[in-house]
Amino acid sequence: MAFFNRSMNSANPLSKKKFDQILVFDHVRSRSIGTAVGNRSKVYYNAWKQLPVMITAPLSRPAFFLVFPFLVRRSYGGLIPGQLEAQTEAEEATTSGKEPKPEKWGPSLVKIFETAATTLASLAILGLAGYGYHRYYKRLVLKKMENAFAPGDPVLELAALSDQTPTNIFQQGDKHWIPRPEQATIDNIVNGTDRGHYLLLIGEKGTGKSSMLLNAMQKIGGEGVSMFEAHADLEIFRIRLGKCLDYEFHEDYIGSLFSIRGPRDTTALLDIERAFNKLEKVALKHRKKVGRPLILIINSMHLLRNDDDGQDLLELIQQRAEQWAASNLVTVILNSDDYWVYERLKQLDTRMQVLPVLDLPKFQAIAALRTYRTRYFNEEPQSEILDQVYDKVGGRLTFLNRVAKSSDMLKECAAICQKEKTWFLNQCWILGEEMDDDVMDQQKYCSAAMVLAKALVDQEKEAVAGSPVDTLKSTWFSSSASADSVSASELEENIYRDIDRMIPEIPLHKARQIMTRADFIQSYDHINIFTIDSRAMVRADSVPMQNAFREICSEEGFDKLLQATLDRISAIESLGRTREVVAKDLIDKQYIVKVADGVERKYGGKDAKISIGIEELQPT
């Protein structure tokens, strides 16, 4: 900072007003200068070198007085700028012997008005900037969500169905070797032809539910469709929903810079509700523009926990799905492996359509195997081998894909059956009579599964043999008919008949009666040991699992081991319900215990109160 010695007079290039403002600004930059001026030292600035300071000082002055008033008063001996000029003039008048001029209030009032106007202008600019950013952010959110339903979807890019070597033996590119009746229904819903309801896909793991959804999305290029995977944790579910809809839940909102609080301080369930509100606005605009609803696919709904949080989330999704289906805004497609999701949705169902996805019947599975082996292995498999393959693994797509790609199909079938058997034994094996009482709860769970498995095997033995499964093709289709000419309901009914021949089934209420427990069956369904279909019928999860039941129940000594386990559980429970009465001071004597009224009664009845008397025997 440059200084030069000149007296304060009118020749000063800076007026007193601007000089005072520069003084405040430089006090913030350098405390020693402000202190020197407070001591009324004759120090002056080079005005032309301080021209930037002259320009910026008035803007920084109001904020300085609001934040650092004590520094200003300390620097100027308790006087604020404006009063310093009056004191200086009074001191000069006293030194020269002249009368001091009366105090002028005009400059002070001007300064007050200037400070107030500057503050109001700053607040107005801040408010307009905040409001403008808020409106811009809301439009940006809707624009990003519209792009999430544009042609192309990250799920399709990850799947890359058309660019990979066919992993599904029932499809090569856009050509289906085996037509599935469910595919046409899913295509009509995804492309917007079938509307006015929401869809629940239910079926065992590996039946091809997700593959059919991806195929339907690929046919329309993913336009108007968005898909994501569910998760048990609500926070992860929220993040995946946000990624699916390209919605950040205001996590990128910077309105706090303008003192505007964002709505992010909340729970995951409320965030999901806000995302659905934004989706509804986008769907209204899309319906006016395109004329068909958006499609939202939530895969793996069975991963939600069957607790309060999971049920609240499922109820929230169903409420929105019902509302959107009624107004043709959004069609929600839910995909689940477990029965409890259907059971929960059934309570509030008014527009839900349930589509069960089952294993393929025998003639379709064998035809697909033969076509695949002929095309990629240049061999014509024998019908006996294909029959053995179907008897071991059934019509489950995930098993047929593995078998079709194996060099030795029968060996691969044996490996699959052994894997399912090992899984069942590791989860539900029983310990027999020697088990410790600490594992009683776990053995209740295991023994109930074994009892139900034995009931299915016994029902399979007692079943009356019907028409051979091999004749299904000739009975289902006439010589001139094809699979395309058969309705989905008719084919579904016959598929159930085919499954009944392969896997015996029991109604859900009867299965609970057999196990004497009502709460275990859903857990068995979740770990893929038993399955419950949309008709509330219980059976083994797959043909390899039924084969495992048959092998285990036919082992020597299994019936005795199961009965011993059940007896041990009953004994432990009985011991827990027993109370012992110990009579003291009856040592070294003999007593006769009599019922007081002489009437024999059974303990535990309605009249269980029995008075007894103890009589001492006299020595003879």
Side-chain angles (χ1 to χ4, degrees), residues 478-539:
S478 62
S479 59
S480 59
S482 63
D484 296 333
S485 63
V486 181
S487 63
S489 59
E490 182 180 356
L491 186 56
E492 177 185 328
E493 180 181 357
N494 287 284
I495 290 176
Y496 272 123
R497 294 177 189 171
D498 192 12
I499 293 176
D500 291 344
R501 290 179 173 85
M502 294 295 299
I503 306 178
E505 56 185 14
I506 300 175
L508 179 59
H509 67 281
K510 289 291 185 65
R512 287 170 171 166
Q513 180 181 355
I514 292 172
M515 296 187 300
T516 67
R517 294 293 296 260
D519 53 341
F520 287 161
I521 188 64
Q522 290 185 356
S523 177
Y524 300 148
D525 186 19
H526 188 68
I527 62 176
N528 301 318
I529 293 178
F530 298 96
T531 186
I532 312 173
D533 59 31
S534 58
R535 303 172 301 145
M537 300 297 291
V538 180
R539 60 177 180 270

Side-chain angles (χ1 to χ4, degrees), residues 300-366:
S300 303
M301 287 293 295
H302 57 276
L303 296 180
L304 297 179
R305 297 190 182 96
N306 191 10
D307 55 8
D308 292 339
D309 292 337
Q311 292 175 4
D312 291 343
L313 175 59
L314 195 59
E315 183 178 350
L316 172 62
I317 295 173
Q318 185 179 20
Q319 287 178 343
R320 289 291 186 166
E322 292 277 353
Q323 178 184 356
W324 291 338
S327 56
N328 289 328
L329 287 178
V330 180
T331 300
V332 180
I333 300 178
L334 307 177
N335 185 8
S336 174
D337 294 352
D338 293 350
Y339 176 76
W340 80 267
V341 177
Y342 166 75
E343 196 173 42
R344 185 69 183 178
L345 294 175
K346 183 65 178 176
Q347 300 177 14
L348 304 177
D349 164 33
T350 57
R351 294 179 177 273
M352 182 175 66
Q353 177 182 352
V354 181
L355 181 61
V357 181
L358 309 171
D359 293 344
L360 288 178
K362 183 175 183 179
F363 75 92
Q364 285 186 325
I366 289 179

Side-chain angles (χ1 to χ4, degrees), residues 555-596:
E555 291 179 359
E556 184 179 358
F558 171 78
D559 293 340
K560 293 182 179 180
L561 180 64
L562 179 58
Q563 188 60 43
T565 303
L566 296 176
D567 293 341
R568 175 59 176 165
I569 292 174
S570 300
I572 295 175
E573 290 179 340
S574 176
L575 184 61
R577 294 190 297 263
T578 302
R579 296 294 181 266
E580 295 182 359
V581 178
V582 179
K584 296 183 179 180
D585 300 330
L586 302 179
I587 311 296
D588 297 333
K589 295 182 181 180
Q590 295 182 356
Y591 296 88
I592 297 177
V593 179
K594 298 180 179 180
V595 179

Side-chain angles (χ1 to χ4, degrees), residues 206-226:
T207 54
K209 302 183 296 298
S210 300
S211 298
M212 288 191 291
L213 289 172
L214 292 175
N215 290 335
M217 291 175 61
Q218 189 184 27
K219 291 177 181 178
I220 61 174
E223 182 179 1
V225 184
S226 192

